[in-house]
Amino acid sequence: MTSESGAEDPHLARFREIVAGLETDDIHATDIHATLDQMMGAGAFAARRANRPDLRRALPPQRQVITVRVDLHEATPPIWRRLELRSDLSLAEVHEVIQVAFDWAGYHLWRFAAGGHPFDLDAQLFLCPFDVEEGEENGLPAGDVRLGELLQERGDRLGYVYDYGDDWDLRIVVESVREAPEDAAPARAIGGRRAAPPEDCGGLRDAADLAAVLEDPAHFDVDELDRELVAGASPLGDLTADDGVPPLLAEPLDRLRRTASGRDLRARAALLGPEVDLPEGASWDDALNAVTWFLEQAAQEGGIPLTGAGYLRPAVVEEASAVVPSMAHWIGLKNREVQCTPLLDFRDALQRAKILRKYKGALLPTRRALAAFEAGAVKELVLESLIPAPGGFEHVASVLLLTHVATATPGAAVSAGDVARALTELGWHVGHGPVPTASLVDLPAWQLLINVGEVGSRKAWRHGAFSSEAMLLAREALGR
């Protein structure tokens, strides 16, 4: 590395002297460390980071269609996609397109780079939201940069990496640029070869290795991919608020617009129309009996006493097991709460939903729950307890869960896996991996709804089926 005058950087020159001096034992290891500290701090390497070029250009006055070829680096045989991308797409939206094009789930970290590899010191970086939130300073938020600022003519290129572990390194090269017609889709697929490696397969790129994890490594259907990209271009399609689409679903629909989960969510949103009446012979008093029973017991003087270990007493467990629907399918003795998982989960959900509270070794109703109970408004209490306040995982997860419950066939299983996949595609993680189905079953909303009304058979309960009354509650909660 040299300065503008052509002279070698003084820190690097000093390092060369030290290395040469090692042969004569005139220089000690401490000198090496001191010089490296200088180079890594205010010296040459830091200067390279601070002086990353800004390679953005002014957006063209007219919106353009940019045809690019996207290659997976070092894949043998080549794995690639040819895409038409509108110039006004943000890099965050291009990331979504790439995830669909390579059939990935989007739950790992990613970044773009201009002028080099996404981890080069000299490249200009465009970062995913997580890297921005973690304080990465050497880059711009990808959502703030338009594709047309970086790709404007044949031969322009971008680097992209997804999953810093498996290191899916993609090269994006412009093949042509043309003015976009008024009806140009944000993204189209017009070519490609071979199936992409699946998520978390360890970085496999050779056909022989991929044959062990893919049914047909040579399979690629450009028409199918194009339909997926076009179908995901509009967040609500022809749906509007007048069709009963809850405002709570607007953001998930927008962010999932190019994914299979997004298409499923749009289809479900279309089913959330006017309120539906209770089935003949059903009543809310019966359906909400489990919640009401706990409130009745907790509202008595002294509340519901707990054991020293914090569990319901055996006599209370026996009484509760007779009214909590999920306990009807529990095999075994029903006199110790620690051994009655459905009852323990339901009671915990009542506390987490702030319907019950623990105080001095007993369960008491919360102030709002007691007021609702005394006013005969248990249904209203449950409705306002199903969706937590915005701003966290449980809020988004509860909204998606309720959407699936509200649009399920009565007595049919709700797929916690589908909900977990959608949450993962929205960027939620558990640890460093995707959202597990256990995170859905653990939600207060799941535990409350599974105990509203009678599900039916033990098999239906075990597989996550909800009653007609639970479906109606979920629909009403979403529309509030």
Side-chain angles (χ1 to χ4, degrees), residues 90-334:
S90 71
L91 292 188
E93 291 173 313
V94 176
H95 156 72
E96 294 175 1
V97 172
I98 291 174
Q99 291 294 299
V100 176
F102 284 82
D103 198 24
W104 291 328
Y107 60 77
H108 290 294
L109 304 180
W110 53 273
R111 60 177 56 188
F112 288 90
H117 185 274
F119 289 104
D120 282 353
L121 291 174
D122 296 327
Q124 184 177 17
L125 306 184
F126 308 98
L127 307 173
C128 67
F130 182 86
D131 281 345
V132 174
E133 291 168 6
E134 288 295 296
E136 172 68 67
E137 298 178 353
N138 298 311
L140 300 172
D144 294 346
V145 181
R146 302 292 160 184
L147 185 67
E149 295 179 76
L150 296 163
L151 303 183
Q152 297 188 354
E153 57 189 40
R154 180 182 176 87
D156 284 350
R157 61 182 57 208
L158 280 174
Y160 169 86
V161 67
Y162 170 65
D163 185 348
Y164 299 167
D166 282 355
D167 192 29
W168 303 123
D169 179 8
L170 305 182
R171 294 171 295 186
I172 304 167
V173 181
V174 176
E175 294 185 329
S176 66
V177 179
R178 70 178 191 276
E179 186 174 325
E182 288 188 7
D183 60 350
R188 300 292 302 265
I190 59 174
R193 286 288 187 277
R194 305 186 67 80
E199 289 274 5
D200 300 325
C201 69
L204 301 180
R205 287 171 168 80
D206 295 338
D209 294 329
L210 290 173
V213 294
L214 289 172
E215 184 176 341
D216 181 7
H219 174 75
F220 174 69
D221 188 331
V222 65
D223 294 328
E224 180 182 350
L225 173 56
D226 188 51
R227 286 193 296 271
E228 287 191 37
L229 292 175
V230 173
S234 173
L236 293 179
D238 297 328
L239 301 176
T240 68
D242 293 336
D243 298 305
V245 178
L248 286 169
L249 286 176
E251 183 178 0
L253 280 168
D254 184 37
R255 292 178 59 193
L256 292 171
R257 60 189 179 278
R258 291 189 177 89
T259 67
S261 295
R263 291 193 295 278
D264 176 64
L265 193 60
R266 283 198 302 277
R268 292 180 181 278
L271 300 175
L272 295 172
E275 292 185 18
V276 181
D277 294 331
L278 276 172
E280 185 176 352
S283 74
W284 285 116
D285 286 343
D286 291 339
L288 298 169
N289 185 45
V291 178
T292 303
W293 183 88
F294 266 95
L295 287 171
E296 286 176 343
Q297 308 307 309
Q300 295 177 17
E301 185 175 355
I304 304 174
L306 301 173
T307 67
Y311 295 106
L312 296 176
R313 293 180 177 178
V316 178
V317 171
E318 292 179 0
E319 291 181 41
S321 296
V323 297
V324 173
S326 57
M327 283 301 294
H329 309 293
W330 187 248
I331 297 176
L333 296 177
K334 300 176 181 178

Side-chain angles (χ1 to χ4, degrees), residues 37 69 203 393:
D37 286 343
R69 173 163 162 157
F393 171 80

Side-chain angles (χ1 to χ4, degrees), residues 366-409:
T366 61
R367 185 173 299 177
R368 73 180 183 96
L370 180 60
F373 172 64
E374 292 177 340
V378 174
K379 178 190 174 188
E380 180 66 22
L381 173 66
V382 174
L383 280 170
E384 67 182 27
S385 301
L386 290 174
I387 303 176
F393 171 80
E394 287 201 0
H395 171 80
V396 181
S398 298
V399 168
L400 295 190
L401 171 63
L402 265 60
T403 303
H404 279 250
V405 173
T407 55
T409 301

